[in-house]
Amino acid sequence: QVQLVESGGGSVQPGGSLRLSCAASGYTVGDSLMGWFRQGPGKERERVATIDNFGNTNYRDSLKGRFTISRDNAKNTLSLQMDSLKPEDTAMYYCAATCVRWSTNCRYWGQGTQVTVSS
């Protein structure tokens, strides 16, 4: 049984940083396309960043330079470093695995972790 468990969310002021982690069990990170997705209040879920089995990364255009996706094969975790956070980054953030490239179609999802950016 695949489980993805996110952690690291919280409240932060604009300009601050957070690091999200996703611990995988029943699944080996790197086996397929994984990613971070988010859904803000009243908005549709959107792709934040993905990393494929070769380690190639891709980011939502508006987030390039502020967010960094990475994985640790030894710890079997996926991470998202978020810097220079803005109020519009406020959302529930989800880790997902076995995703279709360029989409929000993924087979496995975590339960999400809330990120709130506010002064």
Side-chain angles (χ1 to χ4, degrees), residues 47-89:
R47 181 176 57 86
V48 172
T50 57
I51 182 167
D52 68 16
N53 52 326
F54 296 106
N56 299 312
T57 59
N58 187 274
Y59 297 90
R60 190 173 189 81
D61 284 345
S62 60
L63 303 177
K64 288 180 181 178
R66 296 197 296 122
F67 288 18
T68 305
I69 189 172
S70 62
R71 67 171 183 242
D72 186 325
N73 293 339
K75 295 182 179 179
N76 210 35
T77 59
L78 183 73
S79 297
L80 183 70
Q81 177 67 39
M82 305 186 295
D83 299 317
S84 302
L85 283 163
K86 303 176 181 180
E88 52 263 42
D89 294 319

Side-chain angles (χ1 to χ4, degrees), residues 7 9 12 31 35 38 40 47-49 51 62 65 75 92 104 106 111 116:
S7 61
V12 64
D31 270 2
R38 69 184 184 184
R47 181 176 57 86
V48 172
I51 182 167
S62 60
K75 295 182 179 179
M92 184 72 80
T104 58
C106 302
Q111 83 288 348
T116 302

Side-chain angles (χ1 to χ4, degrees), residues 90-106:
T90 294
M92 184 72 80
Y93 283 71
Y94 299 90
C95 167
T98 311
C99 302
V100 177
R101 199 178 293 272
W102 315 121
S103 81
T104 58
N105 184 0
C106 302

